[in-house]
Amino acid sequence: MQRRLANVNGWTVSAAIIMILLFLPNITIVTGIFSPSNENWVHMKEFVLGSFIRTSLILISATAILTISIGLSLAWLITQYQFPLRGFLKWALILPLSIPPFIGAYTYHGIVNYTGVIQTTLRDQFDMVLNPAHFDIMNLPGAIFIYTMFLYPYVYTITRVFLSQQSASLIESARMLGKGPWRTFFQVVIPISRVSIIGGASLVVLEVLNDYGVVKYFGIQTFTTAIFQTWFGLGDIESSIKLAASLMGFVIFILVIEKVLRGRRQYSYSTTKVRPLPLIQLKGWKAGLVTTYGLMILSLGFFIPIAQLIDWMILTFGTIPMDEFLTYVKNSVLVAGISATAIIIFALIVGNFSRLVQGKVAKLLPKLSILGYSIPGAVIAVAVVTAFIALDRFLVPLYQMIGITTTLVLSVSLIMLISAYIIRFFAIGYNSIESGYDKIGTDFRDASRLLGVGVTKTFFKVDVPMLKGAIISGFILVFIDILKEIPLTLILRPFNFDTLSTKAFQYASDEKIMEASQASLLIVGISALAIVVFYKFLEKEPD
Amino acid sequence: MFISIQNVCFSYPNTGKPALDQFSMNIEKGEVISILGRSGSGKSTILRLLAGLEKPTEGSLTIQDEVLFDGNTFLQPEKRGIGMVFQDYALFPHMTVGENILFGLFQLKKSDKKKRLQEVLELVELQDYEKRYPHQLSGGQQQRVAIARAIAPNPHLILLDEPFSNLDAELQVKIRKDLREILKKANITSIFVTHDENDAHALADRIVKLKDGCIDLIGRPCDLIGIHPHPVPQVTPMIEERELMSV
């Protein structure tokens, strides 16, 4: 061990502290399972837990199947064929990711309800009065539609990048061996992309399990809504911890399934020279069909809701006082900015630690601390509150010493919310920084040290400048995710503290759908801008 | 003795086999040593151990009577005064040629820094390239910058990891000659590892042949010519004929 930890000192200590702090709150959840059950929990276990699991299973499996069908088919068409608008669709198809599902949910509800544009137009222009029940999307299939339209880009992006890196010779060999395009797709493309398909789909599944906004708005009972109700409705923290623990168990079950499905097969190239696929030109009705398909998905996932939001914003502009609105913007930027900065600094320290040490344990620890991203926001919220209340109790003597009379200080402050963001989104920043470290390797660091420069100075003079790209992209990704976040912010924000997303959500929940549009559009605008910058300008065109 | 390496042993974590077993040798000042061996023979490991990038399980290294490592001491890489030229050069991409070379000269006064920079640029014949970035240079020029950077702080010893592997064949011959001249002109003790016998014979004062982490042969290039303790298996003509027939 002494040898393994050679060259490590302050870095090891700081990394260890960060990793423990990231992991600690989850332990409160695990210990919560063993606390004695109360009446509420016995009731829930007997009558409702089964239905939560059933509903969640239906939601995730249907959404996974649909996002895979749409994401994979689009990825294949874009990497294999040339057709009108291909260049535009290639990056534009990622845009639906900029619309948080809860914004998509209330926008679509607004479009199809009795006073919405569809029914009004049919009534006024065509004199058609249809049964409003046909337009009800506030149900399970409606939620599946919303999740699919706004989450399919996860599957699309990951599989497209994977397919575009495939050597043409693989696909061409299949062709030469007499397989047509359909059989090539099913017998070669799907099997080789299995890992990336499952990777994308599991992100979708985790997002669905994390979601609170859509299911709450549509009135669907799932784990996350139940955690909120038990806590705020019944005031029963113990039972909500138990619910959170059940949800965590469910997530672990999903992660195990993912691992099994991925299997040991990690396909890699036998040669380093990867020749990209030459595009096949589509002509006539086939080209038209493919373009229409792409545009249809893009319209459903982006243009239609955006058009509706813009329309509402024009109608309601000025009804929300500007200074009030600016406060939400300021709050959002403040918490997202502080949290993202902290995450990037922590990720740089943990990443450097993971690089400096050898050995399985040291490599495993950072992996554990990034579990936070798979754990739904509501669970983290419960964990963080429990931990902070305990911390406040512990610190009461100190508070009294400095003249504070209340017993709850940290647990009613922004620090709690920011800590929760850090736990939940650490993985996003860490992945970016880690891949940056991987890309630069250790030679530059070694070269610097052999020129007489110590570890810490090397970090600032060599590593940080070379990691600039990873730092910026990690920061932006985390920032946007926090901007859109709902469950954590709703539970943990201090009294009277609103962000763009909580305000949008509240307006929508109060059936002030139009008023929600302004904040929503700003969130979507910022996210979309970042996505465009990322995928259109930063990604080098492989073909 | 200028450099003394005694009984150095090392094995990578999670592998049972030692990567280096009881490696010992003495080196005179200004000598150019080549470590020759196939991949996996442990030749790059020696460089990493001498540089302090890995910690040996046993053994000692002394340069000019200063102990760099033994049972009690382990000097960190930045304290050793050993220069290294990496296989892919590891030139800092965000710094110019000049900044790369100045990187290790932080202890000198400003005027001395400038002087030293000009000296080494002259040595590697790259006087006009000070303001260029590494990606604006050819492979051979990048290598010379890497050598200049390693030599600039006046190290006791310079280590070169496969210095010719990234160059095309024609350039290799020229650079080999240049490199020997640079090393001799600067009178720097150096160790370079290679898998190419021609490199070793053309450049080195002494050659160490390494096999499975142990020294197989050691001697001057002229002494080693014609010695093949482990001949490379040859394909017999009979098999070739049979293969041809079956085609």
Side-chain angles (χ1 to χ4, degrees):
Chain A
M1 198 61 193
Q2 194 204 349
R3 179 162 57 88
R4 284 180 192 176
L5 290 179
N7 312 341
V8 192
N9 30 49
W11 289 95
T12 319
V13 180
S14 353
I17 293 172
I18 293 167
M19 286 186 288
I20 289 169
L21 287 178
L22 286 173
F23 199 60
L24 208 58
N26 297 320
I27 297 183
T28 54
I29 296 286
V30 177
T31 52
I33 305 174
F34 303 107
S35 66
S37 308
N38 61 20
E39 210 177 291
N40 287 334
W41 178 244
V42 173
H43 173 84
M44 269 192 264
K45 212 164 65 179
E46 203 177 329
F47 299 106
V48 291
L49 202 59
S51 85
F52 293 162
I53 295 175
R54 219 172 19 252
T55 313
S56 299
L57 277 176
I58 295 172
L59 274 177
I60 59 175
S61 40
T63 310
I65 292 168
L66 289 172
T67 48
I68 289 174
S69 314
I70 293 176
L72 180 64
S73 59
L74 287 171
W76 173 240
L77 292 170
I78 295 275
T79 40
Q80 178 80 342
Y81 299 101
Q82 180 61 265
F83 50 87
L85 293 179
R86 176 189 167 275
F88 163 72
L89 285 170
K90 188 183 156 192
W91 63 268
L93 281 167
I94 311 166
L95 285 175
L97 212 54
S98 62
I99 302 181
F102 81 90
I103 293 178
Y106 82 73
T107 311
Y108 264 104
H109 172 65
I111 292 173
V112 299
N113 71 10
Y114 190 73
T115 52
V117 61
I118 294 183
Q119 293 201 49
T120 328
T121 315
L122 287 176
R123 266 199 311 272
D124 298 350
Q125 308 294 323
F126 303 97
D127 215 18
M128 285 166 73
V129 180
L130 296 169
N131 182 357
H134 293 152
F135 291 94
D136 184 19
I137 62 157
M138 296 179 90
N139 45 33
L140 213 50
I144 293 166
F145 167 76
I146 295 293
Y147 289 137
T148 304
M149 282 344 292
F150 299 104
L151 298 176
Y152 82 82
Y154 281 119
V155 182
Y156 166 72
T157 323
I158 295 176
T159 36
R160 189 182 65 72
V161 169
F162 175 82
L163 285 173
S164 67
Q165 287 168 349
Q166 287 311 299
S167 184
S169 42
L170 259 185
I171 313 278
E172 282 166 0
S173 315
R175 288 288 178 82
M176 300 295 285
L177 291 165
K179 308 277 184 194
W182 286 100
R183 293 181 81 180
T184 306
F185 181 72
F186 286 105
Q187 292 183 358
V188 179
V189 176
I190 291 186
I192 58 169
S193 358
R194 195 177 72 173
V195 172
S196 57
I197 295 170
I198 292 165
S202 54
L203 281 178
V204 170
V205 167
L206 291 175
E207 286 288 336
V208 172
L209 286 176
N210 173 57
D211 178 69
Y212 171 72
V214 177
V215 281
K216 173 76 175 80
Y217 188 68
F218 281 6
I220 297 166
Q221 278 287 352
T222 61
F223 279 109
T224 41
T225 52
I227 290 172
F228 269 79
Q229 271 166 14
T230 323
W231 191 335
F232 294 112
L234 302 172
D236 181 356
I237 296 187
E238 276 106 40
S239 297
S240 64
I241 290 178
K242 283 185 190 292
L243 266 177
S246 317
L247 176 54
M248 208 156 124
F250 197 75
V251 167
I252 291 169
F253 170 70
I254 300 286
L255 292 177
V256 170
I257 290 189
E258 188 212 346
K259 200 91 194 149
V260 173
L261 284 177
R262 276 191 195 215
R264 288 180 165 271
R265 281 188 237 176
Q266 289 278 1
Y267 299 106
S268 57
Y269 318 115
S270 43
T271 142
T272 49
K273 284 199 179 132
V274 175
R275 189 163 46 90
L277 274 170
L279 295 174
I280 299 170
Q281 181 75 47
L282 285 182
K283 289 205 177 86
W285 65 271
K286 282 185 182 170
L289 193 68
V290 172
T291 308
T292 312
Y293 173 54
L295 283 178
M296 187 190 82
I297 298 291
L298 184 58
S299 306
L300 285 171
F302 193 72
F303 290 134
I304 292 173
I306 290 294
Q308 179 65 78
L309 283 173
I310 292 175
D311 178 43
W312 284 338
M313 196 193 75
I314 294 167
L315 283 173
T316 56
F317 197 77
T319 52
I320 304 166
M322 207 47 181
D323 52 341
E324 200 181 303
F325 185 73
L326 284 177
T327 313
Y328 309 142
V329 177
K330 202 187 82 201
N331 287 349
S332 287
V333 172
L334 180 82
V335 285
I338 294 175
S339 314
T341 309
I343 286 175
I344 295 301
I345 293 172
F346 290 173
L348 282 168
I349 295 173
V350 176
N352 200 31
F353 159 79
S354 162
R355 203 166 64 123
L356 283 170
V357 293
Q358 291 161 4
K360 279 184 186 156
V361 180
K363 297 277 176 210
L364 187 72
L365 280 174
K367 296 256 180 305
L368 275 179
S369 56
I370 64 173
L371 262 182
Y373 192 66
S374 350
I375 300 170
V379 179
I380 290 177
V382 174
V384 169
V385 168
T386 322
F388 266 77
I389 289 175
L391 188 65
D392 264 342
R393 284 202 189 122
F394 178 75
L395 291 176
V396 164
L398 183 80
Y399 296 154
Q400 284 168 346
M401 231 161 64
I402 53 174
I404 298 172
T405 48
T406 52
T407 50
L408 295 180
V409 178
L410 288 176
S411 49
V412 291
S413 71
L414 261 185
I415 297 173
M416 184 164 71
L417 178 62
I418 290 170
S419 313
Y421 283 147
I422 293 173
I423 293 170
R424 166 109 174 98
F425 296 111
F426 179 74
I428 306 278
Y430 184 73
N431 279 344
S432 175
I433 298 291
E434 193 194 27
S435 63
Y437 273 128
D438 277 353
K439 218 154 78 188
I440 62 175
T442 51
D443 276 359
F444 296 103
R445 182 200 68 197
D446 292 346
S448 162
R449 295 193 64 195
L450 283 165
L451 290 163
V453 177
V455 179
T456 307
K457 205 169 159 199
T458 296
F459 174 74
F460 286 109
K461 284 187 82 170
V462 176
D463 291 330
V464 171
M466 290 182 71
L467 285 169
K468 210 162 69 188
I471 291 174
I472 295 171
S473 58
F475 182 90
I476 295 178
L477 286 178
V478 174
F479 188 91
I480 288 170
D481 261 344
I482 294 178
L483 208 64
K484 298 192 287 189
E485 212 282 337
I486 274 286
L488 277 180
T489 322
L490 279 180
I491 300 187
L492 300 178
R493 72 205 156 114
F495 183 67
N496 251 347
F497 182 88
D498 267 305
T499 64
L500 285 171
S501 61
T502 60
K503 208 61 208 173
F505 183 73
Q506 273 173 355
Y507 277 131
S509 302
D510 299 345
E511 288 303 323
K512 289 181 178 169
I513 295 183
M514 292 187 182
E515 281 79 358
S517 61
Q518 201 173 329
S520 303
L521 266 179
L522 193 62
I523 296 174
V524 175
I526 296 172
S527 309
L529 190 72
I531 286 174
V532 172
V533 168
F534 258 90
Y535 294 96
K536 190 164 186 289
F537 299 110
L538 293 185
E539 188 195 49
K540 288 204 181 82
E541 178 82 324
D543 41 37
Chain B
M1 197 53 57
F2 186 66
I3 297 174
S4 159
I5 307 167
Q6 298 303 325
N7 305 321
V8 172
C9 299
F10 177 77
S11 49
Y12 284 99
N14 311 323
T15 55
K17 231 177 101 219
L20 202 64
D21 199 10
Q22 299 289 331
F23 183 91
S24 301
M25 78 178 293
N26 293 321
I27 302 168
E28 299 289 347
K29 181 156 175 54
E31 237 187 328
V32 179
I33 303 287
S34 166
I35 297 177
L36 189 61
R38 294 187 186 178
S39 58
S41 60
K43 55 188 193 307
S44 292
T45 307
I46 296 181
L47 294 195
R48 294 186 64 79
L49 286 166
L50 298 179
L53 300 172
E54 301 286 351
K55 209 169 182 182
T57 39
E58 270 178 56
S60 66
L61 166 68
T62 319
I63 297 184
Q64 264 187 329
D65 299 327
E66 189 193 1
V67 177
L68 268 58
F69 66 75
D70 61 11
N72 310 315
T73 320
F74 181 82
L75 218 57
Q76 292 294 338
E78 56 267 30
K79 309 269 183 231
R80 292 193 175 200
I82 292 180
M84 184 153 169
V85 178
F86 288 78
Q87 193 170 356
D88 50 8
Y89 316 135
L91 295 175
F92 305 126
H94 57 294
M95 298 181 194
T96 60
V97 168
E99 287 164 347
N100 261 287
I101 294 172
L102 289 170
F103 190 84
L105 301 178
F106 53 92
Q107 277 158 337
L108 297 186
K109 274 191 291 182
K110 206 176 171 190
S111 55
D112 293 343
K113 274 187 195 170
K114 233 178 174 174
K115 208 173 125 217
R116 183 66 185 148
L117 173 63
Q118 289 314 318
E119 270 172 26
V120 289
L121 280 174
E122 214 169 291
L123 187 71
V124 296
E125 295 173 359
L126 285 174
Q127 292 95 318
D128 303 327
Y129 292 82
E130 190 190 327
K131 298 270 183 287
R132 299 254 187 120
Y133 280 92
H135 67 267
Q136 296 169 316
L137 303 176
S138 70
Q141 289 167 334
Q142 287 183 8
Q143 192 198 35
R144 280 187 281 160
V145 177
I147 294 168
R149 185 178 72 177
I151 286 177
N154 269 322
H156 304 297
L157 169 68
I158 175 166
L159 309 168
L160 301 104
D161 190 3
E162 298 270 6
F164 309 107
S165 63
N166 281 335
L167 303 172
D168 58 55
E170 209 175 304
L171 204 58
Q172 270 187 27
V173 178
K174 186 188 173 316
I175 297 258
R176 231 189 254 157
K177 207 170 130 264
D178 291 353
L179 180 60
R180 187 169 165 87
E181 268 172 30
I182 293 170
L183 292 174
K184 286 292 167 192
K185 231 195 272 179
N187 192 27
I188 285 186
T189 318
S190 50
I191 301 177
F192 73 97
V193 302
T194 178
H195 60 271
D196 187 334
E197 298 244 357
N198 295 328
D199 288 345
H201 282 271
L203 246 170
D205 298 321
R206 267 196 303 159
I207 296 175
V208 181
K209 279 198 179 181
L210 214 59
K211 194 169 174 257
D212 298 330
C214 299
I215 294 180
D216 195 28
L217 274 174
I218 187 163
R220 290 180 300 172
C222 56
D223 298 336
L224 298 182
I225 292 175
I227 299 178
H228 287 288
H230 301 287
V232 184
Q234 300 275 318
V235 181
T236 61
M238 215 177 77
I239 296 172
E240 272 183 14
E241 266 166 34
R242 207 166 50 210
E243 280 178 347
L244 277 173
M245 281 168 71
S246 68
V247 170

